[in-house]
Amino acid sequence: MTAKILLIDDDTSLRRVLEYNLQEEGYQVITAVDGETGLALFTEHSPSLVITDLKMPGISGFQVLSTIKERSPATLVIVITAFGAIDTAIEAMKLGAHDYITKPFNRDQLKLVVKKALELRGLTEENRLLKEELTERAEFRNIVGISPGMEQVFHIVRKVADTDATVLITGESGTGKELVAKSIHSLSSRRSRPFVPINCAAIPRELLESELFGHVKGAFTGAVRDKTGKLETADGGTLFLDEVGELPVDLQPKLLRALQERIVEPVGGISPRKIDVRVIAATNVDLEKAIEEGAFREDLFYRLSIIPVHLPPLRERADDVLLLTRHFTAKHGGGGVNFTPKALEALKQYHWPGNVRELENTIERLLIMRNGETIDIGDIPPKLLGVRKVTEVGVINLPASGYSLEQLEREIVVEALERNDWNQTAAARFLRIPRHTLIYRMEKYNITPQERKK
């Protein structure tokens, strides 16, 4: 691509000579007769290089230099100064000029200075692009997948990462929603600022408002000092609202106002505080259904779902199971461990209700309990072999030898809880039973949170 050079000089004769010499080298040259015109052309054309005289009527070359470096620090500026005015040239270099040439100068001197400047710019740009590519690779290193569904996720993340658009990540529990949120943050211009997660389902209602918005001393019993909320802590960075579907309805208007007006009001406070926060939300709940049931505000949903990202369940990513198995084997110190084809096929056929999280936990257990450097079908837990796959019509393929109905029911309840991070309301909704029925089954089969997987 032909380099574009902006030339600013009030000396008509010199300007024309310089323009001709630069065009002779194949550069695209834009000229300006003064600093004001030059700055306007800079904004319009975004040149690769600027050459400006320092002494001009009106806006001086120093002002031009300062303004350009303020608007675009990466743009290289070469200044022209009179013979013997070395102090002036040094002052310009302190302001950010890349180089200077003194009048009078010959054509070869001009061409050499320009050539070196553009070569440096090319190397700098190449280095920047390489760093961006390496950063992207690094941030995606923990999100493994080649399936079409995951390729679509990667595509959206790349598109939206360096914007301030609010993102809503949906998908079943264990699919890696927080990993995707962290990748979006790390690939954005906010990467040097905080990434602040908060799980809306894990904090009691009476504490959640304070956690989100903060409180002032004396706002309620026990508020012995001011507390900064997560929204304010994330100022300049990203707030990750995990399980946003569990946010109490009476708190939703306050969150909506904070997102719309970019202000936060601490509990008991009277002075709203300005914030600059990018919000990423995640949920395994069908929010549109929750809106119909009156459990979630429609206006908040549309505010959060400007960019929707859906993570497909692992059962729809059979090809990714093998990649993830290798990834987790290496991650947990099993670099020399091999899986037999039958073992891999068993892992691939299982329906993974706990998704990627369940697969990682399984691989970790297999590595710990293995007897050698090869994992065979006999090492695979019976649970993974007993219930092989749930078809689209919901038929469960059981082993020929039979299977205990109570054991199957117990496993289903545990898997539903695990799939929903042991949130009983969400697990009951998933099983399409009332919450009290789920609690009864938990008591019947002595299911406690101690069974929760790592």
Side-chain angles (χ1 to χ4, degrees):
M1 185 180 295
T2 303
K4 189 184 296 183
I5 299 175
L6 172 60
L7 173 61
I8 310 171
D9 200 312
D10 63 319
D11 185 329
T12 303
S13 298
L14 179 60
R15 189 175 66 251
R16 287 176 178 172
V17 171
L18 294 178
E19 180 182 11
Y20 173 78
N21 289 334
L22 293 170
Q23 287 176 337
E24 193 177 37
E25 291 299 301
Y27 302 125
Q28 181 183 349
V29 184
I30 305 158
T31 63
V33 299
D34 55 43
E36 185 176 358
T37 305
L39 289 175
L41 291 173
F42 176 79
T43 301
E44 181 181 350
H45 294 281
S46 300
S48 305
L49 178 68
V50 176
I51 302 174
T52 180
D53 193 6
L54 287 178
K55 193 173 182 180
M56 295 183 294
I59 297 178
S60 71
F62 286 108
Q63 291 173 287
V64 170
L65 171 62
S66 298
T67 303
I68 287 175
K69 298 306 288 185
E70 182 179 340
R71 294 181 186 175
S72 177
T75 300
L76 300 182
V77 180
I78 296 173
V79 297
I80 302 172
T81 185
F83 175 74
I86 298 299
D87 291 343
T88 303
I90 292 175
E91 185 180 349
M93 298 289 281
K94 289 180 179 178
L95 289 174
H98 169 68
D99 206 344
Y100 68 92
I101 49 178
T102 58
K103 301 177 186 177
F105 50 83
N106 59 46
R107 180 174 60 180
D108 291 338
Q109 182 184 358
L110 170 70
K111 291 179 179 179
L112 181 61
V113 171
V114 169
K115 180 182 178 182
K116 287 184 175 180
L118 291 173
E119 284 177 350
L120 176 62
R121 177 182 172 85
L123 289 172
T124 303
E125 180 65 12
E126 184 179 338
N127 187 49
R128 182 186 67 81
L129 293 173
L130 179 59
K131 283 184 177 179
E132 286 184 358
E133 182 181 350
L134 291 174
T135 299
E136 180 174 313
R137 288 179 183 175
E139 296 313 327
F140 280 137
R141 68 186 181 278
N142 290 322
I143 308 176
V144 178
I146 57 172
S147 61
M150 290 307 297
E151 285 297 329
Q152 178 66 11
V153 170
F154 295 145
H155 173 72
I156 296 174
V157 168
R158 292 186 186 101
K159 282 274 191 181
V160 307
D162 207 18
T163 72
D164 281 337
T166 304
V167 178
L168 178 63
I169 306 171
T170 58
E172 297 175 3
S173 179
T175 49
K177 295 187 287 294
E178 185 166 353
L179 283 177
V180 172
K182 287 180 177 177
S183 292
I184 293 172
H185 171 75
S186 298
L187 292 169
S188 75
S189 57
R190 296 175 178 266
R191 66 177 70 92
S192 62
R193 303 295 297 161
F195 175 87
V196 180
I198 181 170
N199 190 317
C200 300
I203 302 173
R205 160 66 187 86
E206 57 271 16
L207 298 178
L208 185 56
E209 183 176 11
S210 173
E211 284 294 314
L212 274 172
F213 303 99
H215 64 250
V216 299
K217 180 180 178 181
F220 50 82
T221 303
V224 296
R225 62 178 64 88
D226 289 354
K227 174 184 172 61
T228 301
K230 300 293 188 184
L231 275 161
E232 200 169 352
T233 302
D235 191 36
T238 302
L239 178 70
F240 177 52
L241 292 171
D242 199 8
E243 302 297 349
V244 72
E246 302 297 325
L247 189 70
V249 177
D250 57 334
L251 276 186
Q252 293 177 23
K254 189 170 183 177
L255 176 61
L256 177 63
R257 182 166 182 254
L259 298 181
Q260 288 177 331
E261 301 183 20
R262 300 295 176 182
I263 60 170
V264 62
E265 295 183 25
V267 178
I270 58 174
S271 301
R273 302 168 186 173
K274 282 283 185 182
I275 54 171
D276 171 25
V277 175
R278 200 253 184 98
V279 172
I280 301 175
T283 182
N284 58 14
V285 174
D286 184 343
L287 291 185
E288 294 188 14
K289 184 178 180 181
I291 291 171
E292 294 176 2
E293 297 172 350
F296 204 83
R297 289 179 62 101
E298 187 174 19
D299 47 6
L300 179 57
F301 170 72
Y302 288 119
R303 169 61 62 177
L304 293 173
S305 61
I306 293 175
I307 304 292
V309 179
H310 179 69
L311 289 181
L314 192 53
R315 62 180 173 276
E316 296 177 6
R317 302 166 49 194
D319 291 338
D320 290 344
V321 171
L322 304 185
L323 285 176
L324 286 161
T325 297
R326 287 197 290 268
H327 172 74
F328 292 134
T329 299
K331 176 180 176 182
H332 293 290
V337 176
N338 295 311
F339 286 75
T340 66
K342 287 185 177 180
L344 288 174
E345 185 61 23
L347 295 177
K348 188 175 179 179
Q349 288 298 318
Y350 183 60
H351 64 287
W352 298 111
N355 292 293
V356 179
R357 183 188 296 119
E358 183 183 6
L359 174 59
E360 179 173 8
N361 292 339
T362 298
I363 298 301
E364 186 177 5
R365 285 197 298 273
L366 287 172
L367 292 173
I368 293 171
M369 302 302 294
R370 75 184 191 276
N371 294 315
E373 296 303 296
T374 299
I375 293 176
D376 201 354
I377 187 71
D379 300 310
I380 304 299
K383 168 187 169 183
L384 273 64
L385 303 175
V387 183
R388 296 297 293 268
K389 193 172 184 180
V390 179
T391 68
E392 291 184 1
V393 294
V395 178
I396 300 176
N397 297 320
L398 297 172
S401 58
Y403 206 74
S404 165
L405 178 60
E406 287 194 352
Q407 180 63 21
L408 178 61
E409 185 176 40
R410 187 183 195 283
E411 288 182 5
I412 288 173
V413 171
V414 171
E415 287 175 358
L417 287 163
E418 187 68 31
R419 185 171 183 165
N420 292 279
D421 284 338
W422 286 75
N423 182 298
Q424 294 176 2
T425 301
R429 187 184 299 119
F430 171 75
L431 292 172
R432 297 180 176 85
I433 59 175
R435 185 170 179 272
H436 65 82
T437 301
L438 173 68
I439 294 173
Y440 167 74
R441 292 290 191 278
M442 291 176 68
E443 292 175 349
K444 176 181 177 181
Y445 297 122
N446 193 29
I447 298 171
T448 65
Q450 279 69 38
E451 295 186 43
R452 187 170 187 160
K453 299 171 185 175
K454 293 182 181 178

